Each structure stands twice: as C-alpha cells, then as structure tokens.
Amino acid sequence: MTIYTRFTAHLNAALDQIEPLATLDRRAVTVEPPRDASHGDLATNAAMVLAKPAGMNPRAAAELIAAKLAALAEVARVAIAGPGFINLTLVDESWRDELRAITAQAGDYGRLVHTDPPMVNIEYVSANPTGPMHMGHCRGAVVGDALAALLEFAGHRVTREYYVNDAGGQVDVLARSVHLRYREALGEAIAIPEGLYPGEYLVPVGQALAAEFGDRYVAAGEGAWLALFRTRAVAAMMALIKADLALLGIHHDLFSSEAALQAAGKPEAAEAMLRARDLIYDGVLEAPKGETPEDWEPVVLPLFRSTQFGDDQDRPIRKSTGQWTYFGADLAYHFQKSQSADQLIDIWGADHAGTVKRITAAVQALTGGATRFDVKLVQMVRLLRDGEPVKMSKRAGNFVTLADVVREVGKDVVRFTMLTRKADAQMDFDFAKVVEASKDNPVFYVQYAHARTRSLARKAAEAGITANGADLGLLDAAELALVKLAAQFPRVVETAAAAREPHRIAFYLYDLAAAFHAQWNVGNDRPERRFLILDNPGLTAARLYLAQALGQVIRNGLHIMGVAAVEELS
C-alpha cells in the first residue's frame, strides 16, 4: 500500500462517517499531489465532486471532510483552498515510512495488484514481412513493448501480438523479387524492375533456394513456384524481423498469420455473425465525392453498418471480385483477438489514422461494446546527424535499418529516446544528441542519476559506511522533498497505464533525476550538504539510504521502459 492508496482509504473512511456523503458514487474522487507543492503534500477534490449530488455547498462539505482528516495522526495540517479543494500536509514520519517502503518493496515498489486482472492484447510492429526492420518501424515497436511492460507492472495480464500480413499482394511481389535473386544465384545477370523489392537482404534467400532446388524453377511458369517462394520468403523475412526486434529486446508472445486467418474461415464467421444481427447488408456504395470518375459504376457489395457506431459511412468487407477488403480482413482479425482478451490495443503509424473509426466500430459491433479498444497512433521519426537529415542506406534498399541504428548508439539509447515524446508528437532522432553527455539528453541524465547512486554506495562502502540501521530522522525538508517525488511513482504507473501512455514514465524519471542532481550539486558549494561526509557517518548513512531508494525507483521505471540501469558512466 502506497501513501496515496493509504490516504484514499483514510478519505473513504471519513466519507463513510458523513451522512450526506456516505452513499455517493466516489469514482471521480482523487487523492493526488497538489499542483503547487507549497499548498501541501496531498490534495483531494472530494468536496467538489460530492457536494452537488449531496445537495451541499462545496465549502461546507470540505469543512466536514477536513475535520475528519485533521484527526489523523499522519496529518500535520489541513487547509481548504478556493471553493472546496482540501490540501493536506503530512508529518515528516509519514515520508520516512514511505522511504522505508521503497527499500522494503525494492523491485516491486510501484507494482499494482488486481484481484481479477484483465487480459490485454497489444498488437504492435506488424510490419509487412517484406524486408528487415527500418527506423520507420522503430518507434511503434518501442512504444508497444513499453506499454506492454507498463500494463504488466500495473497488474494486467498481457499478450504481445504481431500480425503477419502474409495474404496481400505485397507478398506476391516479394516472391517475384526473390525469384530474381534465385536466378541471380544461379549465375544469371538480372535487373530489378520498378515495383519489385531491390534490397540486397533478399540475396541470401535466393541463394538458399538455388542451393535447395537448383535450376528447377528458372524457366518454370509463375504458377509452379509463386506459392513456394512466397512461403519461403515470408519465413526468411520474419526471421530477419525477429532478429532485428531482438536487438531492441522485443519478443512477441504470438505471431498471427493473415493467410492462416483467412484459410480458417474467420472472415466468413465474422460476416455470418454480423449478418445475423443485421449489421452487414448488401448495398451500393455512394459515388466518390467530387467529380465522379468515368469508369465508376454502382456495385452491390456486403457493407458493414459502421455508421451505427460513429463512422461517417458504411464500409465494404468484400471487393466486387469477392476478395476480402483490408477492412474485412482486419474486422475478422479483431474478432479473433477479442475472443481471448478483455481489452485490445493497436499501435499504428499515424498514416493509419483514417481507419481508426471503422475498426473501433467493428470492435464495438463484434463484442457488443464489452471489449475496451484503444488505438495509439505513432508519428514517424526524422533521423538527423548533427542537425542534418541522414541519407538513406542503399545497402538495405532505400531505408535506414533499425539494426544499424541500434548497433551505433545502443539498445537503451534507442528505447529511451523513443519514449521522450508523446507517441503522436513529431520526433527528431539526432545521432549526436542522443549520446550527448548533458542534461539536455534525458537518456544520459537519468542514467547518470542512477550511476551516481551506485557510485555513492561504492565510496561509502570503502569508508565502512552502509545504510543499514540509518537514522532517517536526520533527513531534512529538502531531502524529504525527494522522497515525496519518489513516492509519486506508483501513482504515475497507475495513471500512465490507464492513459496507455508509457512516455509518462520517461517524463517522471527525468524529473526525479533532475531533482536528485540538483540536491547533489548543492554540495559542490556547501560541503555540509554533500551525500558523502566521511567524518559524519550517521548523516552519510541516512543520505545513502535516501539515494539508494531513489536509485531503486529509477531502476523500476527503467525496467518498464526496457532500459538497463547502468552502474557507472565512462
């Protein structure tokens, strides 16, 4: 139990004793840090939320609640602000107890527990299996993986899923590209025509096929080799993709094949279920807006009633040829996912924003609104080197590979940097800046804070000083302010998980690191404020205890982000 959950319990106990408020819905009541730290340690909106349904004046309700909270031994002062906000200042021992809790809970500090944890399916990356990962995929991969770890830390059960788009025309193009490389491996001079994949990463695939089949398929018609080459090429590309993701520490639990989904008749099953509920009908699409193309003609198609769920038009699930549309296949895929999860989250590139409404409508229809569905849109990353755009890599085709970037700057730098902006905000990735040793580089600044805590522990140990049995009463107000910030970590985990925003962990860690560095740097001018004072082992032990707890919180946050906490910086 954290200080926020404990005071939420105190608040509920107080409300239970106030008759006009005791039976009201409290879901909108919060206990959180006040926006201005000078107002106190905790604030609650209870009076503001509950006064109206209770038929009371908010200020009068606040006075009743404040009187109950003021009687608590942990509360030093209660103040009512504005029309009825209640601010609490706690006794210092409450924060010392929280500091002890951080140490005692260690890697579990901030971890949430659910008695009936929801099962969440997070689908992320899902790049077409036509080549290695490039930096266009990187941000969504990191956001999805960090979100999965965040939700697990927040007490959810999580399935990490990758949807393999192996049923579309792009994999036929891949197979034809591989056939050219196969012929090249057998000694033929080839030219890659426009529309096929030119990347050299297909050379080994062609060589493997040549070694296995010899010249059997050189002159054969496409019908003889297309399916075989498609299967082998997709398998080879997925092996490349998995290896690239492993460089980032990313491993999915489940790889779902679009081709297998269709072969199993899942789209037909979804269509039948929706037709039985009159949510699919045969109709004619409206003519395109603006000037109608000369070759346009009305065609009867099976249409999903997505307008009943907030979309701006009904959507076809099949083409005039009878093939499934992208939407029809995606509808069936989400139907499949919803059968084994309570909540669904998709991580998409921002270029897919136009499809959010229709898939949201589909999930609502398929699950009767019982399954929470979120889409997180991720903006592209612009690669820079010393402020100048990075030229594309010809070696890989026409893009910068994820593997090259990870090998240059490291997994932890890439992962942390990808979480230093909201997912839907534009991002620049400057190779020089992400490895810069300055406070302007969040990666370095947070890692440096952790390294400082470890360095302090080593130096204290050399002097024979440990944090065991430290007198935390020696910590003053400035040092307890660090505890108050560290104690916000469980709440940050909870709110970040609820909002599906793992970048909040990165933001919080930067603020915690900045506060720690600021306190540390005071000792540069004032020796009595240093964390390590060899001739005052008692005070050093107390400050070491504090530093170690701060280091633990940083480690817990970095763990969620999938970033290692370094022991020292060179």
Side-chain angles (χ1 to χ4, degrees):
M1 179 178 288
T2 69
I3 207 158
Y4 293 96
T5 56
R6 186 163 72 252
F7 268 85
T8 298
H10 288 326
L11 176 62
N12 283 326
L15 294 173
D16 288 342
Q17 298 174 46
I18 302 172
E19 190 169 329
L21 309 177
T23 59
L24 299 178
D25 185 345
R26 301 172 191 172
R27 283 176 293 181
V29 173
T30 61
V31 175
E32 58 191 359
R35 292 183 180 178
D36 186 340
S38 67
H39 292 169
D41 297 329
L42 303 174
T44 178
N45 63 352
M48 300 293 295
V49 169
L50 301 177
K52 185 174 181 179
M56 298 178 67
N57 176 281
R59 186 89 185 184
E63 288 173 355
L64 292 175
I65 299 168
K68 298 289 185 184
L69 296 176
L72 295 171
E74 289 186 77
V75 174
R77 186 170 65 257
V78 181
I80 300 172
F85 287 102
I86 302 171
N87 294 319
L88 307 176
T89 300
L90 308 187
V91 298
D92 289 347
E93 193 59 27
S94 292
W95 298 110
R96 297 188 186 102
D97 285 342
E98 192 69 14
L99 186 56
R100 296 181 185 101
I102 295 172
T103 300
Q105 295 174 32
D108 287 331
Y109 184 74
R111 189 182 296 276
L112 307 180
V113 178
H114 286 276
T115 53
D116 184 20
M119 172 60 79
V120 184
N121 178 295
I122 305 181
E123 183 226 323
Y124 57 105
V125 187
S126 297
N128 288 338
T130 55
M133 300 292 294
H134 58 72
M135 282 302 287
H137 305 126
C138 180
R139 194 176 182 190
V142 171
V143 169
D145 203 56
L147 178 55
L150 170 63
L151 291 176
E152 283 180 330
F153 203 79
H156 299 64
R157 294 174 294 152
V158 175
T159 298
R160 296 163 169 84
E161 184 160 350
Y162 187 117
Y163 185 42
V164 183
N165 299 111
D166 55 357
Q170 80 279 354
V171 289
D172 287 341
V173 173
L174 175 68
R176 296 183 184 110
S177 305
V178 166
H179 189 260
L180 279 178
R181 295 299 188 179
Y182 158 74
R183 288 159 49 192
E184 179 184 47
L186 292 169
E188 183 178 335
I190 65 163
I192 309 291
E194 181 140 2
L196 297 189
Y197 297 111
E200 292 181 14
Y201 55 84
L202 295 179
V203 171
V205 186
Q207 291 172 341
L209 288 166
E212 183 176 358
F213 298 109
D215 62 0
R216 184 187 309 176
Y217 298 114
V218 170
E222 189 174 274
W225 53 260
L226 184 66
L228 171 65
F229 276 47
R230 181 173 59 221
T231 299
R232 296 297 180 86
V234 168
M237 293 305 98
M238 287 308 302
L240 270 181
I241 288 169
K242 290 178 183 179
D244 288 345
L245 291 173
L247 293 174
L248 278 175
I250 294 175
H251 305 275
H252 289 79
D253 303 311
L254 184 62
F255 290 83
S256 293
S257 159
E258 180 183 1
L261 180 93
Q262 294 191 19
K266 295 297 178 69
E268 289 85 354
E271 179 183 4
M273 189 267 279
L274 292 173
R275 277 190 183 275
R277 294 166 52 198
D278 194 31
L279 292 174
I280 287 180
Y281 66 99
D282 295 321
V284 178
L285 283 177
E286 296 179 6
K289 294 181 180 179
E291 188 174 342
T292 303
E294 290 184 6
D295 60 350
W296 183 85
E297 57 183 47
V299 178
V300 175
L301 297 170
L303 303 178
F304 168 62
R305 297 186 189 276
S306 51
T307 51
Q308 288 191 14
F309 303 90
D311 198 3
D312 50 7
Q313 68 180 75
D314 291 344
R315 305 288 177 176
I317 63 169
R318 290 181 187 264
K319 303 175 185 178
S320 58
T321 61
Q323 294 177 306
W324 297 103
T325 61
Y326 284 119
F327 171 66
D330 280 350
L331 181 150
Y333 171 55
H334 284 80
F335 182 42
Q336 175 177 277
K337 290 197 293 185
S338 70
Q339 292 175 321
S340 57
D342 305 305
Q343 301 174 14
L344 305 179
I345 302 173
D346 289 356
I347 310 295
W348 293 350
D351 56 331
H352 289 79
T355 63
V356 173
K357 276 188 177 181
R358 68 192 71 171
I359 297 297
T360 301
V363 173
Q364 278 188 279
L366 291 163
T367 68
T371 299
R372 176 178 173 180
F373 175 59
D374 294 289
V375 175
K376 304 303 292 185
L377 296 175
V378 180
Q379 288 287 351
M380 291 285 286
V381 177
R382 188 172 65 143
L383 294 178
L384 306 171
R385 196 177 293 279
D386 292 321
E388 296 297 321
V390 175
K391 293 181 179 179
M392 295 300 179
S393 167
K394 293 182 180 178
R395 180 183 68 77
N398 63 345
F399 50 78
V400 178
T401 68
L402 181 152
D404 285 344
V405 175
V406 173
R407 290 183 181 117
E408 178 171 344
V409 302
K411 168 185 79 73
D412 293 336
V413 168
V414 173
R415 287 190 67 117
F416 198 114
T417 303
M418 292 298 144
L419 296 168
T420 55
R421 296 284 187 279
K422 290 186 65 174
D424 59 358
Q426 294 286 344
M427 170 177 281
D428 288 345
F429 185 98
D430 192 311
F431 284 88
K433 290 188 178 298
V434 297
V435 295
E436 187 179 83
S438 79
K439 68 177 296 185
D440 296 326
N441 176 10
V443 187
F444 167 80
Y445 207 47
V446 172
Q447 291 282 31
Y448 185 29
H450 184 267
R452 268 184 161 168
T453 68
R454 304 305 298 148
S455 174
L456 173 63
R458 289 191 296 270
K459 290 178 179 178
E462 290 170 4
I465 302 172
T466 73
N468 296 335
D471 179 3
L472 301 185
L474 298 174
L475 298 176
D476 62 16
E479 290 153 345
L480 290 179
L482 289 175
V483 181
K484 295 174 185 180
L485 184 54
Q488 292 184 26
F489 179 64
R491 185 176 171 277
V492 172
V493 169
E494 183 177 21
T495 57
R500 313 313 205 199
E501 293 184 340
H503 71 270
R504 295 190 187 194
I505 303 296
F507 287 13
Y508 166 80
L509 291 181
Y510 183 85
D511 290 343
L512 182 62
F516 174 59
H517 286 310
Q519 184 67 17
W520 184 285
N521 292 336
V522 170
N524 293 336
D525 299 319
R526 299 173 57 190
E528 77 279 5
R529 302 298 304 170
R530 292 175 182 167
F531 277 74
L532 182 64
I533 305 175
L534 295 179
D535 60 359
N536 193 338
L539 184 56
T540 296
R543 290 175 177 171
L544 174 61
Y545 193 104
L546 168 63
Q548 289 181 333
L550 297 178
Q552 182 67 67
V553 173
I554 292 172
R555 282 196 298 281
N556 291 0
L558 291 176
H559 169 75
I560 292 171
M561 296 173 67
V563 175
V566 300
E567 293 291 305
E568 56 185 346
L569 291 173
S570 55

